[in-house]
Amino acid sequence: MERVKKYNKTLLIDSSDSKGIKDCAEHLVNGEVIGFPTETVYGLGCDARNGEAVKKVFEAKGRPADNPLICHIGDKEQIKGIVSEITPLAQKLIDAFMPGPITVVMKKADCISDQTTAGLDTVGVRMPSNPVANKFLKACGVPVAAPSANLSGRPSPTGARSVLEDMDGYIYAIIDGGDSEFGLESTVVDCTGTTPVILRPGAVTKADIDAVLNEGEAVMSGSLADKETPKAPGMKYRHYAPYAQVEIMKMPEGTKIEGDDAIGSDGKIGKTSFTVEDLKKLSDDEAKELVNIVSPFILRSREILSSNPFARIGLYCGSEIKAMYDKMNDKLLSAHTEFCVYGKTVDVSCASHGLFEGLRYLDVQEVDVILAQGFDGEGLSVAYMNRLSKAAGKKEELTPGMPAPARPSRTPLPLDAFKDTFTASVLFVDDNNTSLSCAMESLMRRMLEKNEPYISNRENDTGVEIYCESAGLTAMDGMDPDSQMDKAVKEISGFGINSIESRRANPAIYDCNDLILTVRDEQAFAIIKAFPEIKDKVFSLSTFAAANGLVMKDSSGKVMSISVPDPTGENYETYLHTAKALNAWLEILFPYIIKELGAARI
Ligand code: TXA
Ligand code: MG
């Protein structure tokens, strides 16, 4: 379906802005589409009675129109106006769980557009418990049809920033109500018969539903007990898929660990560096259990790295697993691993809460594979595993030979998105600062611009502005750059090195940079020899790659170092070749440079 941008900018309305919320409600009643928060995930709302408005929602999501939308209400009184029958069973679930993370499917009333229900004679009704949703829906006064506010196929958004990422320019406004409480979509229950059929598991579990039934129990859609109900139509589409491949790491049966003690913050595990084998020998029961949980992550990571030494691996895991990695202190693994920690390893509600944002976050870090914690058992685990399996199912459902879907370009964030911003800078050094180091400065600038903004990898609220510059160990100040190199760099990136004047490297320049990268090894050694106190931030391209576990081998298996010969005096083709090589190395090193500067992509 063709997606057409309708607005220059989608408005972001704060939840405390009552006038803004009222304006959104008015626009919705007039046929516009509004993103709004709920306790499950963010929704993309429109007037459920207005077929034209519903079409706009499908367009903005890029979703096929044969998947019905849920109707949201702000007041239980509205239910009788939008359904033709409330069965005793439906009434029981409404009384027990509304407002809350449940959708009750009932026979629809005529006023609900066929576009909303995709031609079905039933409608899903949901009354969110989130106070901002409630205020907004009350202000609308009409039934609000809303799917999750993601681009079709992407993880559902559980924060306004993710909605903006997918919807900027496609809808009128988004109401920012902060983080969604549950993070997984509502439980969808068909109540048109006498037995409730769970079409989609969610935070209201089968056990919760069974507990309010006088007799009998709910059945899961598709299970043997479910004889007649067709599956929820939406379940047939690929859902929740990040761009990276997702793999589920199974939790060993019967695992029970209490995070803080298990990793030995009390000194039970006293060493600073472990191998998995070391840890297996530990007598402490909890530590052993932890090894069982962390082993699948480590073993699989090693397997991936042995077939692709450049792989970047994202872990969606608990804090103990991250702590275990930190303790192991395996340089190679750490250099290739990005973490998204949801909370304590065994806490499935934290894992559910953070899942969709976690998948999105790891995607932005451009990992190739995401290894995600799996859960056994009943209750919320069922809903969590339902979503995770869909995210992991991506590989099978892509047609072989089809190119991977293109990553959308990043949405720039509003400048005031962060409480604080600090700056970080990298310095490129060679001898004369008229050619290679200038080329690196210029090429790095383009990469920085393309990938910004950056956030501190320690703190959520802190942004990072990243700069780069260059200098030469034996340079004269104020020399013009090499015109051949200028032309070559311009040919690659559209920007040359014309504006860069050479300058001699000195302690003041070293001081104001957080990372110093030299083109050749001997240049880094020279700096460290003269200023040993800054040795921790000085690397050559080769030693920086090695320090990050990037070991490159040539076809005969020999370890390669990064060597970039100076093209001065050669023909233009040699310059171009050199500039291309520098660019390629920088592209490989870029994520590691960002990480070294204490930053992450947003
Ligand atoms: O938590 C949620 O339910 C979120 C928030 C925004 O309320 N909404 C949401 O909507 O997840 P959506 O459109 O992404 O998923 C709705 C699911 C789909 O699987 C759809 O097929 C099913 O509910 N569904 C909706 N109406 C139905 C009906 N009349 N009969 C059977 N299944 C229905
Ligand atoms: Mg959805």
Side-chain angles (χ1 to χ4, degrees):
M1 181 166 310
E2 177 86 51
R3 275 183 107 212
V4 186
K5 276 212 180 197
K6 297 211 162 82
Y7 306 90
N8 264 338
K9 202 172 165 320
T10 290
L11 300 177
L12 201 55
I13 306 295
D14 193 82
S15 62
S16 63
D17 177 1
S18 297
K19 255 169 105 181
I21 292 181
K22 224 172 135 224
D23 172 63
C24 286
E26 272 166 22
H27 275 81
L28 182 136
V29 175
N30 283 324
E32 296 288 342
V33 177
I34 309 289
F36 67 100
T38 84
E39 71 278 20
T40 58
V41 301
Y42 275 66
L44 212 53
C46 70
D47 183 346
R49 306 162 311 170
N50 177 347
E52 286 307 308
V54 179
K55 268 194 205 151
K56 286 188 194 166
V57 167
F58 283 115
E59 262 166 42
K61 264 187 84 81
R63 167 152 148 180
D66 61 344
N67 193 4
L69 304 185
I70 294 170
C71 278
H72 297 70
I73 51 172
D75 188 332
K76 282 191 193 176
E77 278 303 302
Q78 287 174 276
I79 298 177
K80 53 184 190 294
I82 58 179
V83 304
S84 60
E85 188 197 0
I86 305 178
T87 61
L89 171 62
Q91 191 62 54
K92 224 176 244 165
L93 298 194
I94 290 168
D95 292 343
F97 302 114
M98 273 192 205
I102 193 167
T103 296
V104 177
V105 174
M106 294 174 267
K107 288 267 183 259
K108 87 176 188 77
D110 289 341
C111 71
I112 299 299
S113 160
D114 282 339
Q115 299 280 350
T116 298
T117 60
L120 297 179
D121 63 351
T122 54
V123 60
V125 178
R126 162 153 151 70
M127 179 174 175
S129 59
N130 176 293
V132 182
N134 204 263
K135 186 168 169 183
F136 170 63
L137 292 168
K138 278 211 168 92
C140 290
V142 301
V144 172
S148 49
N150 51 295
L151 193 56
S152 190
R154 295 272 293 145
S156 298
T158 57
R161 187 186 280 179
S162 298
V163 182
L164 196 62
E165 199 175 290
D166 285 7
M167 295 297 156
D168 193 25
Y170 295 97
I171 62 175
Y172 174 71
I174 298 165
I175 301 171
D176 184 350
D179 240 15
S180 300
E181 183 188 342
F182 293 104
L184 300 181
E185 305 90 337
S186 63
T187 308
V188 179
V189 192
D190 185 329
C191 291
T192 52
T194 49
T195 304
V197 180
I198 299 176
L199 301 178
R200 179 175 72 183
V204 173
T205 64
K206 175 171 146 49
D208 294 334
I209 295 172
D210 290 350
V212 302
L213 302 176
N214 291 338
E215 52 188 55
E217 49 178 280
V219 299
M220 297 299 280
S221 166
S223 69
L224 282 178
D226 169 28
K227 296 201 179 62
E228 69 255 57
T229 324
K231 278 195 176 172
M235 303 309 256
K236 72 181 182 230
Y237 298 105
R238 177 157 76 83
H239 264 71
Y240 317 118
Y243 297 104
Q245 182 65 42
V246 176
E247 294 183 24
I248 303 174
M249 299 292 109
K250 281 278 253 186
M251 177 99 68
E253 223 166 285
T255 304
K256 263 189 231 76
I257 53 162
E258 283 308 321
D260 290 344
D261 323 324
I263 56 147
S265 51
D266 55 354
K268 266 190 252 170
I269 302 176
K271 291 211 257 174
T272 52
S273 170
F274 296 92
T275 63
V276 178
E277 278 62 38
D278 275 345
L279 287 164
K280 275 187 180 151
K281 285 185 215 136
L282 292 174
S283 57
D284 181 72
D285 282 350
E286 285 178 329
K288 263 196 210 153
E289 216 159 337
L290 191 59
V291 170
N292 286 338
I293 301 177
V294 77
S295 299
F297 286 94
I298 294 173
L299 297 178
R300 183 67 189 126
S301 296
R302 294 218 169 112
E303 223 170 81
I304 293 167
L305 285 171
S306 70
S307 62
N308 174 9
F310 295 110
R312 287 169 52 74
I313 301 168
L315 257 53
Y316 186 67
C317 65
S319 51
E320 300 91 338
I321 299 211
K322 163 104 173 33
M324 202 68 155
Y325 264 70
D326 291 346
K327 283 239 170 202
M328 273 180 37
N329 199 21
D330 178 321
K331 288 255 160 40
L332 184 77
L333 273 187
S334 319
H336 289 266
T337 307
E338 287 290 339
F339 288 92
C340 179
V341 172
Y342 52 75
K344 290 207 171 178
T345 302
V346 291
D347 190 338
V348 69
S349 73
C350 278
S352 302
H353 173 92
L355 179 66
F356 290 139
E357 283 302 318
L359 295 178
R360 280 173 182 262
Y361 169 79
L362 290 170
D363 244 353
V364 173
Q365 303 310 313
E366 297 194 1
V367 299
D368 305 295
V369 186
I370 296 172
L371 307 181
Q373 183 64 62
F375 284 88
D376 280 332
E378 301 296 310
L380 192 55
S381 299
V382 177
Y384 174 83
M385 288 305 282
N386 169 278
R387 308 305 194 279
L388 190 56
S389 310
K390 288 196 177 163
K394 178 178 158 188
K395 196 186 210 164
E396 285 72 46
E397 292 183 33
L398 283 181
T399 321
M402 284 257 292
R407 289 169 194 265
S409 60
R410 260 176 267 282
T411 314
L413 279 190
L415 283 175
D416 55 3
F418 304 113
K419 257 204 225 125
D420 279 315
T421 300
F422 74 87
T423 58
S425 177
V426 51
L427 175 73
F428 296 105
V429 179
D430 63 356
D431 289 341
N432 50 23
N433 191 216
T434 52
S435 178
L436 295 176
S437 56
C438 305
M440 301 196 77
E441 176 184 332
S442 175
L443 293 166
M444 181 77 183
R445 284 237 163 102
R446 303 288 89 75
M447 282 176 215
L448 287 171
E449 282 162 8
K450 210 167 83 195
N451 288 285
E452 68 189 353
Y454 304 93
I455 193 165
S456 155
N457 61 19
R458 286 167 218 103
E459 251 182 282
N460 259 338
D461 274 338
T462 306
V464 186
E465 276 179 72
I466 303 179
Y467 299 101
C468 63
E469 48 186 9
S470 62
L473 292 176
T474 53
M476 298 208 282
D477 285 340
M479 300 281 284
D480 280 339
D482 188 317
S483 60
Q484 297 270 78
M485 185 53 92
D486 177 53
K487 192 172 155 206
V489 172
K490 202 176 276 162
E491 187 169 333
I492 294 176
S493 72
F495 293 85
I497 58 174
N498 230 342
S499 60
I500 303 174
E501 268 191 4
S502 70
R503 56 179 190 160
R504 171 84 59 112
N506 64 41
I509 295 178
Y510 295 148
D511 240 14
C512 57
N513 279 280
D514 306 277
L515 174 65
I516 299 169
L517 289 176
T518 68
V519 176
R520 293 199 314 276
D521 290 348
E522 59 272 25
Q523 292 157 341
F525 298 149
I527 298 175
I528 293 172
K529 198 165 167 212
F531 307 101
E533 63 279 11
I534 59 169
K535 67 175 178 356
D536 289 341
K537 64 177 185 183
V538 182
F539 300 87
S540 67
L541 293 179
S542 287
T543 59
F544 185 70
N548 282 291
L550 290 171
V551 180
M552 271 114 356
K553 299 191 175 156
D554 64 16
S555 51
S556 66
K558 241 178 67 194
V559 174
M560 275 162 54
S561 73
I562 303 178
S563 85
V564 185
D566 188 342
T568 306
E570 303 289 331
N571 63 14
Y572 177 65
E573 284 313 309
T574 311
Y575 273 93
L576 188 58
H577 181 82
T578 306
K580 279 186 181 158
L582 280 177
N583 195 46
W585 284 119
L586 269 183
E587 266 176 2
I588 292 173
L589 297 179
F590 184 80
Y592 300 95
I593 295 176
I594 298 302
K595 207 171 173 179
E596 185 73 24
L597 294 176
R601 296 189 187 104
I602 292 185

